[in-house]
Every structure is written in C-alpha cells, then in structure tokens.
Amino acid sequence: MTLQIYNMLHREKMPFEPINEGKINMYVCGPTVYDHAHLGHAKTYVSFDIIVRYLRARGYDVLYVQNLTDVGHLLDTGEDRILKKARQSASLPMQIVETYTRSYFEDMDALGVARPDISPRASGHVPEQIEMVRQLIDKGHAYEVDGNVYFDVRSWEGYGKLSNRQIEKQEAGSREEVRSDKRHPDDFALWKRAEPEHIMRWDSPWGVGFPGWHIECSAMARKYLGETFDIHGGGIDNIFPHNECEIAQSEACNDAEFARYWLLVGSLMVPDEFGNPVKMSKSLGNFYTVKDALALHPPQVIRAFIATGHYRKPITFSEKALSDARQGWERMFTAVHFTREKLRTAPESDEGNGILETIKQTRTQFYAAMDDDFNAPVALSSLYDFTREVNAMIRNVPDAGKSVLQAIEDAYTEMGTEVLGVVPDTTLFANPEREADLIRLLVEIRANAREDRNFALSDQIRDHLAERNISLLDTANQGTFWQVL
RNA sequence: GGCGACGUAGCCAAGUGGAUAAGGCAUGGGUCUGCAAAACCCUGAUCGCCGGUUCGAAUCCGGCCGUCGCCUCCA
C-alpha cells in the first residue's frame, strides 16, 4: 500500500515520496499568540496531530516544526496585534506572548495534541529573518524604500502558483492605499520601519524596524528543515497571501524548491443567524474557545467531532453537532472500558476468537482509509463498525478469553488511542485505579442488595453514582458493568 | 470583479465512473432488565435543478439556482 496525499500545490492526489526515505520534515503555520485558542484552531492542529501520529505509526521519522507568531502580524489598521493587546491590558508585549503561548499549549496538551518537535518564535529569529531579507535584496528580488523592504513579486515568475493567482489579472489598485511606496500593489513587506511608538523593534541594515509577517516562516523553516522539505501545512485561509509569499521569498532566495507537499485544512464553520455556515473567527465573535469546550466535554469527544469530517473540508460546528458526536463516542468508549474490565478476570482461553477476523478487517479498512489522504472519517467509521461487534461479543460471550479481549484492547489502543487519539488510555478519573476500585466495591454491595430484592438500596447506590456521571449496566449473566462518562 | 470550494436521508458527514450510496446522531418498533439513561437487532436518501458525454454518473462536461472561503487580520 502506498500513502496518497492530496497536494494543494498541484491540486491532485499523488503518491507520497519523502526526500529521504523513512524521514519526513514537516512545517505547519502556528498561531499568533495574542488570545486564547478557539475550536477553529483546534480543528487545524488536531487534524495535523492525527496526520503526524499516523505518519509515525506508519514508521516514518517525522521532524515536526510549528512556529509561534509573536511579532509582525499586523491588523489592517497597521497596528501589531500583540502591541494592541499589550496596550489594552497595560502589560509588556512579551508578557502577552508568554501568557497566550502557555494558554495555547495548555489547550493543545489537553486535547492530546503531541507537541511539535520545535516551536520556534518569530521574535527569537530576527537575525535569521534579516539575513534572508538581505539575501533577497542582493539577488534583486527585494528593494528598500525609506526603511521598509518589499519583495518584488514581478521578479519571481512563480508568484501565485499555489493559490492560482496571476498578478496581471488582479484588479490592481482597487483596494490599495494611495500613499503606498510599493512598486507593485502585490509587493509585500519583508521588513518594516518602526515608528517611535512601536516598541517591538530591532536594528537592521535598513534602520530600526521589525520583520514582516511572512518572512518568519521562510527563515525558520530553512533553519530547521533545510531549503527544501517534505510537507508544509496550515489553514486554507492562509493560502493567500501568507503561503504564497512564503513560497515566493523562499524559492527566490534559495534557488531551490520550498515545500514539496502542501496540505491545507478546511475551516471550522458555525451557522449564522440565518443558518448559513460562516467561518468561526475572532472578528465575527462567533467563536467557542477550546477551554469552553473542554469544560463541557472530554477532549476525545472534541477530537472525534473533528475527525467526523475530512481535514481538507470545512466542518460545521454547533453544540448539537458536538453532543451528537459525543453520543457515538460514548458507545465506543464504553466498549473499550467494558473490555478492560472483563480483562481483569478473564479466563486463559481463546473463547470468542471469532472476533479476531473482525479485528483484521477493521485494521485493513482503517489503514486503507488513512493511506487515502488521511481519511480519518472513514477510519473512524471502521472503529464504529468494530465497536458494534465488540459490544455484541461482550454480551454474547460471557466467558471471553484473555487473549481475545487483549486483542480487542490492542486494536483500540493502536488505532483509537495512538493514531486518532479518540480513545482514552484509562478511565476519565483523576486517580483511575483507586476510584475504579471503590466503584467495584459499591457495585458488589449493590449486587447483594439486588439479590435480597432490596431495590431501595440498590437504586440509591445507582442514583448516587449516576449523579457523578457513573452509569451502571446490569446484565443477565455477567453481573453489572459500570462506566464513567 | 478575480481565484477556489461546496450543495448527499430530520441533523452532522464519507463516497469523485460500475454490483445492496460508509459511519455518527435523532425517530419508530423489538430483545434484554425488578425497574432503567446503557447495549444489541430491525427501520430511512437515487445524491440542488436542467441538459449533455457514456453500455453505465452522486461521481465527467455545460448552464442555472443557492451557500461559503480567500483577494484586508484570521488556523
């Protein structure tokens, strides 16, 4: 089987071939750390997390770099996002950066997103950016005007190849500032002169200033991954101008291909007042922070929701969509948990081994789906099909053997936990073993009460546990199962 | 105006030329249960509309209608 990836650069699905066999260098555009992450960010970074986990599960040695933008990202007012936030909260820019960087990792950690191998900050790589700008000027691809340096888009014939924009066809000037000192409206800033009130400033050959937004990714990708690397990812909303500018400046500077495969993630949408989906974004005020969502649902539910849609497509969010995803996820996690509980006392036999064939089929479907441009929705659906079989087996084969149950558990761990990250590797308790033990005691006491037909006591125990999100399931011939959700 | 997408059952969402159109949620019926919110079984769509290509199309082409994204900060 070969891994097929849809490459946005060529707009087609193609076999994946890394530059160096077995090794993948990958860069993903990270967030601008000036506020808490919302579910739109979660969609992008969970999607790439699943991709990275799958590549690693497939045996690739992945070097994953994801930047943190902490300077140079301007609002349309020309104001730096970080500086604006700093002024609003009467703090230093780097305090803002630190606060929201920590918040971002806190959220991503909670969502089970594996940390990037390197998380370079733009402000920590100003010399590298200056060097790249200098090289671009030397090669005639950039020019300086009064302390500002611009990339000359007409000097690079490849400009527009990712987003399919042709500068001649753009309606030049329609939205351009009248006083611009650019030679061409599409020319973009590599370095900007700092006005006196702009406190994030560095010395450069062109005076005191700060780097433009796009150059950080080019400079940091080159530093850590080399001039040419395998995969570049990001959100589709940054295809133009950001990604386009990255390609132009990198390839013009290095005389080498930039990234070979471009993977761009569809946006998270949310219905507007008329029910039409619009992009979740800060400015529209229709966002839902990761922290808000995590207060209501286990992280695996959020991942499962994200995985119900293909990474390239937009997905529409609503609280109902999230809770619907939760219902299905609960059924699966229940199967996993019951398997683990039975495993504790299972006999040494291969009773119930009919399901081994199902496991084999599930694995085949799962990997085929993930090999087809990381089709997580189909991969997840194979786990749901599997779950139905597991739940049926758990009930129909009371004395299922240890090796069989272990095979089920292994399959869930391999696909559900390690690749998709939707199956918790333990219960959702803070102290899993101790709390599980206490519940087993209560279940035992309740079983005795039921035997005495003391339903008042048995229901008291059940209700008490239910109030703590612990549900009980009585069976005809194998006692009571419990689950925490 | 330019560029790019999307429109599949009540809702979310796979599938991009071929045999019964994945999966999740919800609905209805059933099994099990002392009861029960669980679990299992059964239950639904001919794929926005029109035309074309083809032995054959949800899947390709054209037109129309509707929606969204980017072009200005956004993952």
Side-chain angles (χ1 to χ4, degrees):
Chain A
M1 284 196 297
T2 56
L3 174 61
Q4 299 277 322
I5 296 183
Y6 183 87
N7 189 346
M8 189 58 83
L9 193 55
H10 304 293
R11 310 267 167 167
E12 64 178 358
K13 211 182 275 184
M14 50 208 292
F16 177 67
E17 290 167 13
I19 296 166
N20 297 305
E21 197 173 338
K23 167 85 182 161
I24 296 174
N25 278 177
M26 176 166 172
Y27 187 96
V28 170
C29 288
T32 301
V33 282
Y34 73 106
D35 211 336
H36 296 295
H38 60 232
L39 287 175
H41 299 102
K43 180 181 190 294
T44 297
Y45 300 117
V46 166
S47 295
F48 281 114
D49 183 54
I50 290 172
I51 288 170
V52 169
R53 284 162 174 256
Y54 182 66
L55 292 172
R56 286 181 173 147
R58 231 175 166 289
Y60 287 107
D61 175 17
V62 181
L63 178 59
Y64 181 24
V65 177
Q66 184 191 111
N67 67 296
L68 292 164
T69 297
D70 61 357
V71 64
H73 207 161
L74 306 184
L75 294 161
D76 49 9
T77 55
E79 201 170 18
D80 185 289
R81 294 170 151 339
I82 310 279
L83 282 181
K84 183 180 179 187
K85 191 83 179 187
R87 190 166 51 257
Q88 285 170 347
S89 56
S91 45
L92 295 168
M94 281 300 135
Q95 280 182 280
I96 297 296
V97 167
E98 206 57 44
T99 297
Y100 292 109
T101 297
R102 288 176 193 175
S103 170
Y104 173 70
F105 282 125
E106 195 176 284
D107 291 346
M108 293 303 132
D109 288 350
L111 287 173
V113 173
R115 294 248 183 152
D117 296 301
I118 305 174
S119 300
R121 289 189 189 181
S123 67
H125 296 75
V126 173
E128 287 85 349
Q129 297 179 72
I130 288 175
E131 173 60 15
M132 199 159 198
V133 174
R134 201 187 52 70
Q135 290 173 345
L136 283 165
I137 293 174
D138 287 350
K139 290 194 170 191
H141 291 297
Y143 55 92
E144 187 243 325
V145 181
D146 199 18
N148 293 311
V149 181
Y150 298 104
F151 183 88
D152 180 358
V153 295
R154 284 172 301 187
S155 77
W156 184 251
E157 79 284 353
Y159 184 76
K161 70 180 179 180
L162 178 67
S163 60
N164 199 22
R165 280 176 168 78
Q166 293 164 281
I167 50 181
E168 301 78 28
K169 287 192 177 174
Q170 297 275 89
E171 277 195 30
S174 61
R175 306 187 79 113
E176 221 20 63
E177 305 147 41
V178 188
R179 293 169 306 194
S180 177
D181 46 8
K182 295 176 186 176
R183 291 179 191 165
H184 186 280
D186 277 4
D187 288 355
F188 54 91
L190 297 169
W191 186 264
K192 301 205 75 157
R193 181 186 67 231
E195 301 304 328
E197 67 274 16
H198 199 105
I199 57 178
M200 294 171 86
R201 52 206 290 139
W202 289 264
D203 284 325
S204 81
W206 319 284
V208 178
F210 57 94
W213 173 34
H214 315 301
I215 193 71
E216 59 171 279
C217 289
S218 289
M220 298 190 294
R222 182 171 76 173
K223 176 164 183 170
Y224 298 111
L225 301 174
E227 294 178 346
T228 303
F229 55 94
D230 301 292
I231 296 174
H232 189 122
I236 186 73
D237 48 353
N238 274 335
I239 189 171
F240 189 89
H242 182 64
N243 297 151
E244 198 65 75
C245 295
E246 280 182 76
I247 294 176
Q249 66 203 179
S250 286
E251 298 195 341
C253 182
N254 302 331
D255 289 313
E257 187 183 8
F258 187 44
R260 300 182 63 199
Y261 295 83
W262 281 81
L263 277 67
L264 300 179
V265 176
S267 301
L268 185 71
M269 315 295 280
V270 57
D272 65 12
E273 56 184 313
F274 306 110
N276 293 322
V278 294
K279 197 174 76 168
M280 178 176 285
S281 71
K282 216 72 207 170
S283 54
L284 291 176
N286 59 359
F287 59 92
Y288 212 92
T289 66
V290 172
K291 292 181 205 306
D292 288 341
L294 283 170
L296 295 173
H297 300 285
Q300 293 83 7
V301 167
I302 297 168
R303 294 180 68 105
F305 165 70
I306 289 168
T308 58
H310 186 92
Y311 79 87
R312 261 192 291 124
K313 286 199 170 183
I315 185 169
T316 305
F317 167 83
S318 66
E319 292 190 38
K320 182 179 182 300
L322 192 55
S323 61
D324 284 355
R326 178 178 186 141
Q327 293 305 114
W329 171 84
E330 285 187 358
R331 190 168 59 81
M332 177 167 67
F333 181 41
T334 294
V336 178
H337 183 248
F338 287 0
T339 299
R340 288 173 180 159
E341 281 296 296
K342 281 177 76 80
L343 201 44
R344 301 175 68 246
T345 56
E348 296 283 352
S349 77
D350 66 346
E351 200 66 35
N353 62 12
I355 200 154
L356 297 180
E357 182 57 31
T358 306
I359 292 176
K360 202 174 149 195
Q361 289 169 8
T362 300
R363 217 176 237 117
T364 301
Q365 286 172 21
F366 185 92
Y367 285 93
M370 291 303 286
D371 268 349
D372 183 13
D373 193 29
F374 310 105
N375 196 330
V378 172
L380 182 60
S381 78
S382 72
L383 250 33
Y384 281 125
D385 284 336
F386 177 50
T387 292
R388 213 170 282 287
E389 300 290 321
V390 172
N391 272 322
M393 184 270 203
I394 283 172
R395 279 158 193 76
N396 300 334
V397 188
D399 53 348
K402 187 171 268 180
S403 64
V404 174
L405 292 167
Q406 188 62 52
I408 293 172
E409 143 88 327
D410 289 347
Y412 275 120
T413 297
E414 176 188 328
M415 296 177 275
T417 303
E418 289 172 4
V419 175
L420 297 181
V422 296
V423 173
D425 55 10
T426 179
T427 61
L428 299 176
F429 289 135
N431 189 334
E433 266 323 297
R434 185 185 63 193
E435 296 188 29
D437 199 55
L438 292 172
I439 288 168
R440 289 181 198 118
L441 174 65
L442 286 168
V443 166
E444 203 177 310
I445 292 169
R446 177 170 170 273
N448 293 336
R450 290 182 73 218
E451 213 161 299
D452 299 339
R453 302 195 70 78
N454 182 354
F455 297 122
L457 176 58
S458 70
D459 287 352
Q460 184 191 351
I461 292 173
R462 185 171 66 187
D463 292 346
H464 191 87
L465 291 173
E467 284 167 19
R468 283 150 187 78
N469 295 323
I470 297 156
S471 58
L472 301 183
L473 195 179
D474 297 323
T475 65
N477 54 5
Q478 21 182 353
T480 299
F481 287 106
W482 59 275
Q483 167 68 312
V484 52
L485 290 167

CSV table of all heavy atoms in Angstrom, one decimal, chain A residues 19 25-27 217 221-222 225-233 246 257-262:
chain,number,residue,atom,x,y,z
A,19,ILE,N,11.7,13.1,0.7
A,19,ILE,CA,13.0,13.3,0.1
A,19,ILE,C,14.0,12.3,0.5
A,19,ILE,O,14.8,11.7,-0.3
A,19,ILE,CB,13.5,14.7,0.5
A,19,ILE,CG1,12.6,15.8,-0.1
A,19,ILE,CG2,14.9,15.0,0.0
A,19,ILE,CD1,12.7,17.2,0.5
A,25,ASN,N,10.4,15.8,6.9
A,25,ASN,CA,10.5,17.1,7.5
A,25,ASN,C,9.2,17.9,7.2
A,25,ASN,O,8.8,18.0,6.1
A,25,ASN,CB,11.7,17.9,6.9
A,25,ASN,CG,13.0,17.5,7.6
A,25,ASN,OD1,14.1,17.9,7.2
A,25,ASN,ND2,12.9,16.6,8.6
A,26,MET,N,8.6,18.4,8.3
A,26,MET,CA,7.3,19.0,8.1
A,26,MET,C,7.2,20.3,8.9
A,26,MET,O,7.6,20.4,10.0
A,26,MET,CB,6.3,17.9,8.7
A,26,MET,CG,4.9,18.4,8.7
A,26,MET,SD,3.8,16.9,9.0
A,26,MET,CE,2.3,17.6,9.3
A,27,TYR,N,6.5,21.3,8.3
A,27,TYR,CA,6.3,22.6,8.9
A,27,TYR,C,4.9,22.9,8.8
A,27,TYR,O,4.2,22.8,7.8
A,27,TYR,CB,7.1,23.6,8.1
A,27,TYR,CG,7.1,25.0,8.7
A,27,TYR,CD1,8.2,25.4,9.5
A,27,TYR,CD2,6.1,25.9,8.5
A,27,TYR,CE1,8.2,26.7,10.1
A,27,TYR,CE2,6.1,27.2,9.1
A,27,TYR,CZ,7.2,27.6,9.9
A,27,TYR,OH,7.2,28.8,10.5
A,217,CYS,N,8.2,32.4,8.6
A,217,CYS,CA,8.1,31.0,8.3
A,217,CYS,C,9.2,30.6,7.3
A,217,CYS,O,9.7,29.5,7.5
A,217,CYS,CB,6.7,30.8,7.7
A,217,CYS,SG,5.4,30.9,8.9
A,221,ALA,N,11.7,27.9,8.7
A,221,ALA,CA,11.7,26.6,8.0
A,221,ALA,C,13.0,26.2,7.5
A,221,ALA,O,13.5,25.1,7.6
A,221,ALA,CB,10.6,26.6,6.9
A,222,ARG,N,13.7,27.2,6.9
A,222,ARG,CA,15.0,27.0,6.3
A,222,ARG,C,16.0,26.6,7.4
A,222,ARG,O,16.8,25.6,7.2
A,222,ARG,CB,15.5,28.2,5.6
A,222,ARG,CG,16.9,28.0,4.9
A,222,ARG,CD,17.3,29.1,4.0
A,222,ARG,NE,17.7,30.3,4.8
A,222,ARG,CZ,18.3,31.4,4.2
A,222,ARG,NH1,18.4,31.5,2.9
A,222,ARG,NH2,18.7,32.4,4.9
A,225,LEU,N,14.6,22.9,8.8
A,225,LEU,CA,14.2,21.8,7.9
A,225,LEU,C,15.0,21.8,6.6
A,225,LEU,O,14.9,20.9,5.8
A,225,LEU,CB,12.7,21.9,7.6
A,225,LEU,CG,11.8,21.8,8.8
A,225,LEU,CD1,10.4,22.1,8.4
A,225,LEU,CD2,11.9,20.5,9.5
A,226,GLY,N,15.8,22.9,6.4
A,226,GLY,CA,16.5,23.0,5.2
A,226,GLY,C,15.8,23.8,4.1
A,226,GLY,O,14.6,24.1,4.3
A,227,GLU,N,16.4,24.0,3.0
A,227,GLU,CA,15.8,24.8,1.9
A,227,GLU,C,14.6,24.1,1.3
A,227,GLU,O,13.6,24.7,0.9
A,227,GLU,CB,16.9,25.1,0.8
A,227,GLU,CG,18.0,26.0,1.4
A,227,GLU,CD,19.1,26.3,0.3
A,227,GLU,OE1,19.1,25.6,-0.7
A,227,GLU,OE2,19.9,27.2,0.5
A,228,THR,N,14.7,22.8,1.2
A,228,THR,CA,13.6,22.0,0.6
A,228,THR,C,13.2,21.0,1.6
A,228,THR,O,14.1,20.3,2.1
A,228,THR,CB,14.1,21.3,-0.7
A,228,THR,OG1,14.5,22.3,-1.6
A,228,THR,CG2,12.9,20.5,-1.3
A,229,PHE,N,11.9,20.9,1.9
A,229,PHE,CA,11.5,19.9,2.8
A,229,PHE,C,10.2,19.3,2.3
A,229,PHE,O,9.6,19.7,1.3
A,229,PHE,CB,11.3,20.5,4.3
A,229,PHE,CG,10.4,21.7,4.3
A,229,PHE,CD1,9.1,21.6,4.7
A,229,PHE,CD2,10.9,23.0,4.1
A,229,PHE,CE1,8.3,22.7,4.7
A,229,PHE,CE2,10.1,24.1,4.1
A,229,PHE,CZ,8.8,24.0,4.5
A,230,ASP,N,9.7,18.3,3.1
A,230,ASP,CA,8.6,17.4,2.6
A,230,ASP,C,7.2,18.0,2.6
A,230,ASP,O,6.5,18.1,1.6
A,230,ASP,CB,8.6,16.1,3.3
A,230,ASP,CG,9.9,15.4,3.2
A,230,ASP,OD1,10.2,14.9,2.0
A,230,ASP,OD2,10.7,15.3,4.1
A,231,ILE,N,6.8,18.4,3.8
A,231,ILE,CA,5.4,18.8,3.9
A,231,ILE,C,5.2,20.2,4.6
A,231,ILE,O,5.9,20.5,5.6
A,231,ILE,CB,4.6,17.8,4.8
A,231,ILE,CG1,4.6,16.4,4.1
A,231,ILE,CG2,3.2,18.3,5.1
A,231,ILE,CD1,4.0,15.3,5.0
A,232,HIS,N,4.4,21.0,4.0
A,232,HIS,CA,4.0,22.3,4.6
A,232,HIS,C,2.5,22.3,4.8
A,232,HIS,O,1.8,22.0,3.9
A,232,HIS,CB,4.4,23.5,3.7
A,232,HIS,CG,4.3,24.8,4.4
A,232,HIS,ND1,5.3,25.7,4.6
A,232,HIS,CD2,3.2,25.4,5.0
A,232,HIS,CE1,4.9,26.7,5.2
A,232,HIS,NE2,3.6,26.6,5.5
A,233,GLY,N,2.1,22.6,6.1
A,233,GLY,CA,0.7,22.6,6.4
A,233,GLY,C,0.2,23.9,6.9
A,233,GLY,O,1.0,24.8,7.2
A,246,GLU,N,5.4,33.0,1.3
A,246,GLU,CA,6.4,32.1,1.8
A,246,GLU,C,7.1,31.5,0.7
A,246,GLU,O,8.4,31.4,0.6
A,246,GLU,CB,5.8,31.0,2.6
A,246,GLU,CG,5.4,31.4,4.0
A,246,GLU,CD,4.9,30.1,4.7
A,246,GLU,OE1,5.7,29.2,5.1
A,246,GLU,OE2,3.6,30.0,4.8
A,257,GLU,N,13.5,24.4,-4.6
A,257,GLU,CA,12.1,24.2,-4.3
A,257,GLU,C,11.9,24.4,-2.8
A,257,GLU,O,12.7,24.0,-2.0
A,257,GLU,CB,11.7,22.8,-4.7
A,257,GLU,CG,10.2,22.5,-4.6
A,257,GLU,CD,9.9,21.0,-5.0
A,257,GLU,OE1,10.8,20.2,-5.2
A,257,GLU,OE2,8.7,20.7,-5.1
A,258,PHE,N,10.7,24.9,-2.4
A,258,PHE,CA,10.4,25.1,-1.0
A,258,PHE,C,9.8,23.8,-0.4
A,258,PHE,O,10.6,22.8,-0.2
A,258,PHE,CB,9.5,26.3,-0.8
A,258,PHE,CG,9.2,26.8,0.6
A,258,PHE,CD1,10.2,26.9,1.5
A,258,PHE,CD2,7.9,27.1,1.0
A,258,PHE,CE1,9.9,27.3,2.8
A,258,PHE,CE2,7.6,27.5,2.3
A,258,PHE,CZ,8.6,27.7,3.2
A,259,ALA,N,8.5,23.8,-0.2
A,259,ALA,CA,7.9,22.5,0.3
A,259,ALA,C,7.4,21.7,-0.9
A,259,ALA,O,6.9,22.3,-1.8
A,259,ALA,CB,6.8,22.8,1.3
A,260,ARG,N,7.5,20.4,-0.8
A,260,ARG,CA,7.0,19.5,-1.9
A,260,ARG,C,5.6,19.2,-1.8
A,260,ARG,O,4.9,19.1,-2.8
A,260,ARG,CB,7.9,18.3,-1.9
A,260,ARG,CG,9.4,18.6,-2.1
A,260,ARG,CD,10.2,17.4,-2.2
A,260,ARG,NE,9.9,16.6,-3.4
A,260,ARG,CZ,10.2,15.3,-3.5
A,260,ARG,NH1,10.8,14.7,-2.5
A,260,ARG,NH2,9.9,14.6,-4.6
A,261,TYR,N,5.0,19.0,-0.6
A,261,TYR,CA,3.6,18.7,-0.5
A,261,TYR,C,3.0,19.8,0.4
A,261,TYR,O,3.5,20.1,1.5
A,261,TYR,CB,3.4,17.3,0.2
A,261,TYR,CG,3.9,16.2,-0.7
A,261,TYR,CD1,5.2,15.8,-0.6
A,261,TYR,CD2,3.0,15.5,-1.5
A,261,TYR,CE1,5.7,14.8,-1.4
A,261,TYR,CE2,3.5,14.4,-2.3
A,261,TYR,CZ,4.8,14.1,-2.2
A,261,TYR,OH,5.3,13.0,-3.0
A,262,TRP,N,1.9,20.3,-0.1
A,262,TRP,CA,1.1,21.3,0.7
A,262,TRP,C,-0.2,20.7,1.1
A,262,TRP,O,-1.0,20.3,0.3
A,262,TRP,CB,0.9,22.6,-0.2
A,262,TRP,CG,2.1,23.5,-0.2
A,262,TRP,CD1,3.2,23.3,-1.1
A,262,TRP,CD2,2.4,24.6,0.6
A,262,TRP,NE1,4.1,24.3,-0.8
A,262,TRP,CE2,3.6,25.1,0.2
A,262,TRP,CE3,1.7,25.3,1.6
A,262,TRP,CZ2,4.2,26.2,0.8
A,262,TRP,CZ3,2.2,26.4,2.2
A,262,TRP,CH2,3.5,26.9,1.8
